[in-house]
Amino acid sequence: MQLTESHKQYWSKNLRITAVLLAIWFVVTFVVGFYARDLSFNFFGWPFSFWVGAQGSLVIYVLIIAYYAHYMNKLDQEYDCAEVEED
Amino acid sequence: MAGMTPDAGGGFGGAGQSNAAFKQQLNKIYAWYTGGFVLFVVVLAILEQMGMGREMIGYVFLGATVLLYAGIGVMSRTNDAAEYYVAGRRVPAVYNGMATGADWMSAASFIGMAGTLYLTGYGGLAFIMGWTGGYCLVALFLAPYLRKFGQFTIPDFLGARYDGNFPRFLGIIAAILCSFVYVVAQIYGVGLITTRLAGVPFEVGIFVGLAGILVCSFLGGMKAVTWTQVAQYIILIIAYLIPVIWLSVKQTGVPVPQLIYGSQLEKVTAREAELIKDPKELEVAPFSRHVPMLFLRS
């Protein structure tokens, strides 16, 4: 199928936001995990890296998903390809 | 499961309703359901005060909930392919989230995660981060495209998107591997729980659990599974939150466990250090052998 200019714009915006969110995901998951011993300072009673693994990263994951859904909804509306609510 | 015949399972949204009306009907149904569950618990509490035995209560709880889920499963039976595989793609987002949450909070988390974290410490967090972080990856890479794609399975989607059978094959391997490992853990958990709660032998417990699962999902596919899971979520979230909040209020007066968790953990660690040096503990130290696998089958 022929890709118009707006198709390409939409897709590149999508790729960009995905890359950003994926980078955040990577830092919270693997970077913190890799430096876990160095990062075990006291954080409200928790060792920090343990808290990130148990609670913090989960909060960030949910935020990532929520933000992605919100951003893509707006993008869909902007480029006129939103899912229509049949009524 | 043939073609696009109209679904025969009334009660959970006929094909002709608008999404808004459907959502309102759902809200009403599940509000009544939650009320009914609270009433059920109150009635059982009263019965317990009047002297009902612990085993009877176990049986009643187990039987009632399994019957309930089976009922929902039967009510959601369907012949429509889209309804069977993807619940007609009409499940509102909040309810889908509840269903997914119920999947997360099942036996594997309740028994498996708790045990793994206790035994392995920081390493066990890999599972927690994997389950929710992996969900992140699904949301970014697969879910939106799969929905737009219109077919039903991820291997199908991979085959079409990346042109060929090899991506499809990889998808199949991944799906089977993940499902198999998870299902084994779940079935084991089901057997353990039925054994403890109802006193039946382990093997019988597994078959009872499997029968329950089949009744809930066989007739209605994804549609039945989703609505059953939403019902389970309501019970699960109440069951998970009450003990934790109760503990939190009793120990610190703060009803939000996440906030006081850390300071309580510090106290537990300090107390543990005390106990290890206690003379009574040192007396029995030569006699205790840490054998992790043994207690699973006891």
Side-chain angles (χ1 to χ4, degrees):
Chain A
M1 98 179 208
Q2 279 298 78
L3 288 180
T4 67
E5 187 54 42
S6 84
H7 277 144
K8 292 195 189 129
Q9 273 179 3
Y10 176 91
W11 189 244
S12 76
K13 281 194 184 170
N14 183 9
L15 284 184
R16 215 174 25 224
I17 189 69
T18 307
V20 167
L21 293 175
L22 204 59
I24 300 176
W25 176 87
F26 186 79
V27 166
V28 164
T29 308
F30 289 108
V31 174
V32 173
F34 192 71
Y35 290 108
R37 281 191 212 277
D38 305 320
L39 285 173
S40 49
F41 52 85
N42 191 305
F43 180 79
F44 291 106
W46 296 80
F48 178 69
S49 46
F50 193 91
W51 177 81
V52 169
Q55 310 265 330
S57 65
L58 305 187
V59 171
I60 300 206
Y61 295 149
V62 172
L63 288 176
I64 287 180
I65 298 175
Y67 183 72
Y68 183 69
H70 172 77
Y71 182 89
M72 290 310 285
N73 275 340
K74 275 204 338 226
L75 204 64
D76 277 349
Q77 277 170 359
E78 206 184 298
Y79 283 82
D80 275 329
C81 47
E83 218 170 86
V84 177
E85 280 274 312
E86 325 105 30
D87 212 15
Chain B
M1 278 182 264
M4 302 296 275
T5 54
D7 79 279
F12 278 93
Q17 278 176 314
S18 74
N19 278 337
F22 182 51
K23 192 162 184 196
Q24 262 189 350
Q25 186 192 23
L26 282 178
N27 290 344
K28 217 171 49 169
I29 292 178
Y30 280 107
W32 274 99
Y33 169 83
T34 312
F37 173 63
V38 171
L39 189 63
F40 175 69
V41 172
V42 167
V43 166
L44 271 183
I46 294 177
L47 284 175
E48 187 194 13
Q49 293 292 50
M50 297 197 323
M52 193 187 219
R54 191 186 130 251
E55 267 159 24
M56 246 340 251
I57 295 189
Y59 285 130
V60 168
F61 243 118
L62 197 59
T65 44
V66 169
L67 275 178
L68 174 66
Y69 302 146
I72 299 179
V74 167
M75 274 207 296
S76 312
R77 66 186 178 282
T78 179
N79 284 326
D80 183 53
E83 292 280 346
Y84 195 87
Y85 283 114
V86 288
R89 296 194 183 89
R90 305 188 66 217
V91 183
V94 174
Y95 287 96
N96 229 340
M98 288 165 87
T100 312
D103 278 328
W104 208 115
M105 295 192 280
S106 55
S109 307
F110 189 65
I111 305 178
M113 276 311 323
T116 307
L117 276 176
Y118 180 73
L119 286 178
T120 64
Y122 187 71
L125 288 177
F127 290 99
I128 294 193
M129 288 206 286
W131 280 346
T132 312
Y135 188 62
C136 218
L137 291 181
V138 168
L140 290 177
F141 290 132
L142 283 177
Y145 311 115
L146 187 61
R147 185 184 172 93
K148 272 288 194 288
F149 178 57
Q151 296 300 309
F152 302 132
T153 66
I154 294 181
D156 275 342
F157 167 70
L158 289 178
R161 169 77 172 85
Y162 294 106
D163 255 345
N165 277 327
F166 183 63
R168 199 169 177 172
F169 186 66
L170 285 181
I172 293 176
I173 299 280
I176 291 183
L177 194 63
C178 298
S179 309
F180 185 71
V181 171
Y182 195 65
V183 164
V184 166
Q186 294 279 66
I187 299 293
Y188 200 92
V190 163
L192 277 179
I193 291 176
T194 347
T195 307
R196 296 268 185 250
L197 200 55
V200 298
F202 184 72
E203 295 77 16
V204 174
I206 289 190
F207 282 111
V208 166
L210 279 176
I213 295 171
L214 268 180
V215 179
C216 294
S217 58
F218 181 60
L219 288 171
M222 200 54 166
K223 184 177 172 209
V225 165
T226 302
W227 300 124
T228 320
Q229 294 286 62
V230 174
Q232 287 184 22
Y233 175 84
I234 294 174
I235 296 186
L236 279 170
I237 197 78
I238 295 177
Y240 267 64
L241 284 181
I242 287 185
V244 181
I245 294 185
W246 198 324
L247 267 177
S248 163
V249 167
K250 280 223 98 174
Q251 287 184 357
T252 63
V254 178
V256 183
Q258 281 85 349
L259 294 178
I260 53 95
Y261 211 153
S263 64
Q264 295 302 91
L265 201 67
E266 268 191 318
K267 289 190 199 151
V268 170
T269 317
R271 185 85 180 109
E272 197 178 25
E274 266 176 46
L275 282 174
I276 287 183
K277 294 187 281 207
D278 188 84
K280 294 279 180 190
E281 177 69 25
L282 291 174
E283 250 176 54
V284 294
F287 299 105
S288 73
R289 284 158 51 232
H290 186 55
V291 200
M293 291 322 249
L294 213 61
F295 73 45
L296 282 176
R297 194 59 178 85
S298 60

